[in-house]
Amino acid sequence: KVQRADLVRVLRDGVVLHDSKLSSLKRFKDDVREVTAGFECGVIVEGLLDVQVGDQLEFYHKEQVR
């Protein structure tokens, strides 16, 4: 599942190209907080302008552990 607060890492040919946060997460035309696996969605990655076919997106979040 992808959540709006997640961070995203963009990989091209196994090399990290960009590491940032999501600016937007949409399902059809609606802004959403999360999208579960198996559903299409649209994302805007903050600061990423060059996207190519075959790029991989890894979504993750950081947790503070005591």
Side-chain angles (χ1 to χ4, degrees), residues 14-31:
V15 177
V16 176
L17 179 69
H18 190 77
D19 196 349
S20 187
K21 62 181 183 176
L22 285 176
S23 293
S24 175
L25 180 62
K26 292 191 176 199
R27 177 97 172 103
F28 298 109
K29 292 185 178 187
D30 300 325
D31 286 321

Side-chain angles (χ1 to χ4, degrees), residues 18-64:
H18 190 77
D19 196 349
S20 187
K21 62 181 183 176
L22 285 176
S23 293
S24 175
L25 180 62
K26 292 191 176 199
R27 177 97 172 103
F28 298 109
K29 292 185 178 187
D30 300 325
D31 286 321
V32 293
R33 290 183 181 208
E34 67 181 34
V35 177
T36 56
F39 292 97
E40 293 182 8
C41 66
V43 298
I44 296 177
V45 179
E46 190 172 281
L48 180 65
L49 301 175
D50 178 34
V51 178
Q52 295 181 2
V53 173
D55 286 353
Q56 295 178 334
L57 303 177
E58 289 182 349
F59 297 95
Y60 65 98
H61 63 273
K62 293 182 180 180
E63 292 181 2
Q64 193 171 32

